[in-house]
Amino acid sequence: MPLPMKLCAITLDCPDPQALAAFYQQATGLEPHPKSDADFAGLNSVDGLFIGFQRVDDYRAPRWPDQSVPQQFHFDFEVEDLDEAEALLLELGAGKPDHQPNEDRWRVLTDPAGHPFCLVSR
């Protein structure tokens, strides 16, 4: 029987919390947490989910799809138009790995700290 738990926060390791929070804030429109600082920054959603970004010394970015430094996790974001969303996110500082397993259905991008995330067609 599962515990009565609700996901309330997701925290990502990164080298620059404020920069990564700014990237995701621009990409999602989530509100910056008022107590964000250089060591820990966050974003709040209206449904209560908190996304945190914590500074890690000697951070090593994931190497997707190579597993020498595993991806650790990834976000999936539903979008209406894959091409439009990809172009906007690349402008904001996302990267696009060469390996794209199924570009018609989803796109794999990386945030400025190297975490892979996917855009999924609705």
Side-chain angles (χ1 to χ4, degrees):
M1 170 187 253
L3 295 172
M5 297 191 308
K6 175 185 173 190
L7 180 63
C8 63
I10 299 168
T11 301
L12 290 73
D13 292 348
C14 63
D16 185 342
Q18 291 179 320
L20 198 54
F23 169 81
Y24 279 107
Q25 192 276 326
Q26 291 176 357
T28 65
L30 296 176
E31 291 297 317
H33 190 278
K35 294 185 180 179
S36 294
D37 61 30
D39 290 321
F40 191 90
L43 299 173
N44 298 312
S45 75
V46 294
D47 65 1
L49 181 64
F50 177 82
I51 301 175
F53 308 93
Q54 65 185 3
R55 179 179 305 282
V56 171
D57 294 331
D58 301 321
Y59 172 77
R60 292 177 54 211
R63 303 276 184 229
W64 188 88
D66 175 13
Q67 293 298 302
S68 63
V69 181
Q71 66 180 333
Q72 301 152 17
F73 82 97
H74 72 271
F75 290 123
D76 288 340
F77 295 100
E78 279 189 341
V79 296
E80 291 292 329
D81 184 308
L82 286 171
D83 293 329
E84 181 180 338
E86 176 185 320
L88 174 64
L89 289 160
L90 291 173
E91 273 184 36
L92 293 176
K96 184 176 179 183
D98 291 334
H99 181 70
Q100 295 291 320
N102 189 346
E103 280 192 287
D104 293 338
R105 289 195 54 208
W106 64 81
R107 307 284 166 80
V108 179
L109 300 179
T110 55
D111 68 24
H115 301 109
F117 66 92
C118 293
L119 301 177
V120 181
S121 181
R122 286 189 186 173

